[in-house]
Amino acid sequence: MTPKNELLFCALGGSGEIGMNVNLYGCQGKWVMVDCGITFADAGYPGIDVILPDLSFIEERLGDLVGIVLTHGHEDHIGALPYLAEDLGVPLYATAFTAGLIRGKLEEEGIANRVTLKLVEPDKPFKVGPFGFTFVGVSHSIPEANALLIDTPVGRVFHTGDWKLDAAPIIGNPATAAQLAAIGDDGVEVLVCDSTNVFNTEASGSESSVRIGLSETVAKAKGRVLVTSFASNAARLVTLGEVAKESGRKLCVTGRSLDRILKVGRACGYFKGFPETIDPEAAMRLPRDKVLIVATGGQGEARAALARVADGSHTIQLEAGDAVIFSSKQIPGNEVAIGRIQNILAGKGVEMITERQAHVHVSGHPGRPELAQMYDWIRPEKLIPVHGEMRHLMEQARYGLSEGIPQAIVQTDGDIIRLAPGPAKKIGTAKVGRLVLDGDVILPADGGTINDRRKLALNGQISLAVAIGRDGRVIGSPQVRLQGIPVEEDRAAFIDDVVQGVEQALRDRPRDSEKFRESLRLAVRKVATRWTGKKPIVDVLVIQG
């Protein structure tokens, strides 16, 4: 599909799910992409950490793609760029802080000199093909979060990105109420809006209030205090720097992603007055009540610092009387991973403090009062909810209509929506899906490799090797190897039974080689199912003498 004299919208990720935000706008034969993020894998993807969007739809139209505009530097908005940007082959547009994070990722992949990264100043309009863009600062948990004012020949869009309202932001320079109202005064056709916290009946609250809650909580602690938050929550990092100074504790920051945020932030003029940090070795030499540790891993990530602290493989060690503050919201789907780490820490006598016990976190996304305020400022003709699962999108559509927006349309990944002219409506479908980063290889999320791995995880695997001489007779005994077969103490007896079944199949073997292999596979599978009730993967190797 090629857009004509119309304004089209299509999400390739982030609508109908949390994370992996990728949005396309189309006009006058061209497309522009807004954000290109990742999401993180769960147990349904064995051996996988990172999930990428399938961009087949736009990859088939690369001649019509004019650029990628990035709203801010969170992983669910920029995380796919190191793996996909080079192949897309178009310029990236970002403000300085976001660009610094992106550049570091591109350098790690060794492609920084093969991807064009253009710096854009906030509030200064720029053109990308037929699209006019202006970055509009908004409050969020990371510096230089931006909404996008998008001007096209057939309609004007206000794309919020991730945002909230904060009367006393710790970091950043968000647009004022007057500036946002002025955008609405000039006319906005479509509001494309963050839906993450639409069920929250109260505003998300100010980051400055978290400083008070964290200070009070740390002041009560008698031992070491470790605070874990989203690595990219730069505002929380600034807050924790102030808490460390107020509490008389030295600050230790551990985690590569936190180091990157500090490095890029300082280069962009942020973190002024931030205390000098100490390394983990120095932290462990201090009296326990004189150190405040900031670590990654609050979502239960197996390779992050907190998981290694919990299992004892990190330089930082916690013991009874120490405290871990979870200064972040639990992302749906991470409950089991977080619970596992909390249980390990609890077993050591470490106290856990979450937002349920103390005011140690505020969200970076808008609750209903903030949404209503944005509607009142922007006054769009149409509302397109994004950034949420289906329940979030549906609820924001209902809420927007109840607040007086004339039209709201619920779309999900792959829906192609004509935004203008006329009422918004679905006019087509784009291919969408997921890819996985498996080591250094990108694969389909539901392709043969991952499906085989799931089968292995569920049922185990048996390898059978049989040698056949030139005279057609079996040489020696069949060799059987097991992985993940639930026979335990009966392993030897099970293998004997498998060999007997194989020997019977050898006596009855067909002349066709493929049918022969299949008969051996089925003979092994039959024994395994009889013993275990499972159907393992069976690999058969026939060696011809």
Side-chain angles (χ1 to χ4, degrees):
M1 176 177 290
T2 302
K4 301 179 177 63
N5 290 321
E6 58 192 346
L7 176 57
L8 304 184
F9 175 84
C10 179
L12 301 183
S15 285
E17 61 188 344
I18 300 291
M20 204 170 71
N21 297 289
V22 184
N23 301 290
L24 293 173
Y25 289 93
C27 188
Q28 292 188 335
K30 300 298 181 182
W31 293 93
V32 66
M33 184 182 293
V34 171
D35 294 331
C36 190
I38 60 170
T39 190
F40 295 100
D42 56 26
Y45 298 90
I48 302 299
D49 292 326
V50 172
I51 296 177
L52 307 168
D54 184 341
L55 302 183
S56 297
F57 174 78
I58 197 63
E59 287 171 345
E60 294 167 0
R61 298 162 174 81
L62 283 185
D64 297 331
L65 182 66
V66 292
I68 305 173
V69 182
L70 292 315
T71 59
H72 66 287
H74 278 149
E75 289 295 305
D76 59 332
H77 292 258
I78 67 168
L81 292 173
Y83 315 108
L84 303 178
E86 183 180 6
D87 289 339
L88 293 174
V90 295
L92 315 181
Y93 298 83
T95 56
F97 181 83
T98 304
L101 296 178
I102 293 169
R103 187 178 296 108
K105 291 176 174 294
L106 299 178
E107 288 171 350
E108 287 179 359
E109 289 298 310
I111 61 171
N113 62 342
R114 300 199 292 273
V115 176
T116 301
L117 181 56
K118 296 191 174 185
L119 291 183
V120 178
E121 293 185 35
D123 303 321
K124 289 196 174 181
F126 61 100
K127 292 282 288 185
V128 185
F131 304 91
F133 282 91
T134 305
F135 281 117
V136 180
V138 291
S139 291
H140 194 42
S141 56
I142 193 168
E144 299 177 17
N146 289 284
L148 301 175
L149 184 59
I150 308 174
D151 284 294
T152 78
V154 290
R156 201 168 187 231
V157 178
F158 191 76
H159 181 110
T160 68
D162 289 356
W163 67 283
K164 62 182 282 186
L165 298 181
D166 191 336
I170 296 293
I171 201 166
N173 186 29
T176 65
Q179 289 170 322
L180 292 169
I183 290 171
D185 290 343
D186 289 339
V188 172
E189 187 95 6
V190 184
L191 174 65
V192 178
C193 189
D194 178 0
S195 307
T196 309
N197 277 351
V198 66
F199 290 104
N200 291 7
T201 57
E202 297 181 358
S204 294
S206 174
E207 179 67 27
S208 59
S209 69
V210 177
R211 176 177 166 180
I212 298 170
L214 283 168
S215 291
E216 291 174 349
T217 304
V218 171
K220 296 175 184 175
K222 304 301 181 184
R224 293 189 184 101
V225 177
L226 185 151
V227 182
T228 183
S229 185
F230 295 112
S232 54
N233 192 337
R236 192 63 41 81
L237 197 53
V238 171
T239 295
L240 290 169
E242 294 301 314
V243 170
K245 289 190 286 187
E246 291 171 3
S247 63
R249 291 174 179 253
K250 294 291 185 180
L251 186 65
C252 173
V253 176
T254 179
R256 285 181 62 199
S257 47
L258 282 168
D259 291 338
R260 184 184 295 119
I261 289 288
L262 274 173
K263 178 181 177 182
V264 175
R266 282 170 170 149
C268 293
Y270 300 107
F271 297 109
K272 293 178 180 177
F274 194 76
E276 288 295 321
T277 60
I278 59 174
D279 60 34
E281 290 81 4
M284 291 302 294
R285 292 193 295 268
L286 288 172
R288 290 168 58 211
D289 63 346
K290 295 300 181 184
V291 63
L292 176 64
I293 303 151
V294 184
T296 56
Q299 297 303 310
E301 303 96 315
R303 300 179 187 177
L306 181 60
R308 291 185 287 120
V309 170
D311 67 23
S313 62
H314 197 284
T315 303
I316 297 293
Q317 300 287 312
L318 298 180
E319 55 192 85
D322 294 338
V324 173
I325 300 173
F326 286 80
S327 184
S328 58
K329 184 178 182 180
Q330 195 173 85
I331 294 176
N334 292 344
E335 295 87 353
V336 172
I338 295 170
R340 182 185 67 82
I341 290 174
Q342 289 181 340
N343 283 325
I344 294 172
L345 292 169
K348 296 180 177 183
V350 175
E351 181 185 6
M352 256 76 65
I353 300 157
T354 72
E355 59 180 339
R356 295 181 180 180
Q357 286 81 44
H359 185 55
V360 294
H361 176 64
V362 291
S363 174
H365 301 271
R368 291 169 90 93
E370 293 154 288
L371 289 169
Q373 182 63 77
M374 184 65 78
Y375 301 159
D376 184 59
W377 285 328
I378 302 300
R379 301 183 297 285
E381 297 175 23
K382 303 154 193 172
L383 169 66
I384 308 292
V386 293
H387 299 181
E389 298 170 355
M390 182 54 69
R391 59 197 175 98
H392 301 96
L393 306 182
M394 292 294 294
E395 183 63 19
Q396 188 179 179
R398 283 190 286 266
Y399 186 61
L401 292 170
S402 73
E403 290 292 313
I405 297 177
Q407 184 189 10
I409 184 166
V410 174
Q411 50 77 49
T412 190
D413 292 348
D415 289 345
I416 300 175
I417 308 296
R418 180 189 287 127
L419 300 178
K425 67 176 182 178
K426 179 179 176 179
I427 61 169
T429 302
K431 177 185 177 182
V432 292
R434 292 181 160 200
L435 306 173
V436 297
L437 182 65
D438 192 9
D440 294 328
V441 181
I442 295 174
L443 300 169
D446 293 308
T449 298
I450 302 303
N451 284 335
D452 283 350
R453 198 172 293 169
R454 289 173 179 140
K455 292 175 184 176
L456 284 168
L458 288 171
N459 297 299
Q461 186 256 357
I462 302 175
S463 297
L464 170 69
V466 177
I468 307 293
R470 291 181 180 178
D471 58 0
R473 295 182 179 181
V474 177
I475 301 173
S477 298
Q479 298 297 301
V480 180
R481 297 289 183 269
L482 313 179
Q483 292 190 84
I485 305 300
V487 288
E488 300 293 333
E489 297 90 349
D490 300 323
R491 187 183 186 90
F494 172 77
I495 291 176
D496 287 343
D497 206 356
V498 169
V499 170
Q500 290 179 26
V502 169
E503 289 175 341
Q504 180 61 48
L506 289 169
R507 288 192 289 271
D508 301 333
R509 71 178 183 266
R511 291 181 179 274
D512 181 85
S513 61
E514 288 304 315
K515 289 183 179 178
F516 176 39
R517 283 188 175 82
E518 182 64 7
S519 69
L520 294 175
R521 190 187 71 83
L522 292 175
V524 174
R525 173 77 74 84
K526 182 178 179 181
V527 174
T529 302
R530 187 173 72 246
W531 272 71
T532 68
K534 301 179 80 69
K535 295 180 179 180
I537 292 175
V538 178
D539 292 324
V540 176
L541 175 64
V542 177
I543 304 170
Q544 297 287 346

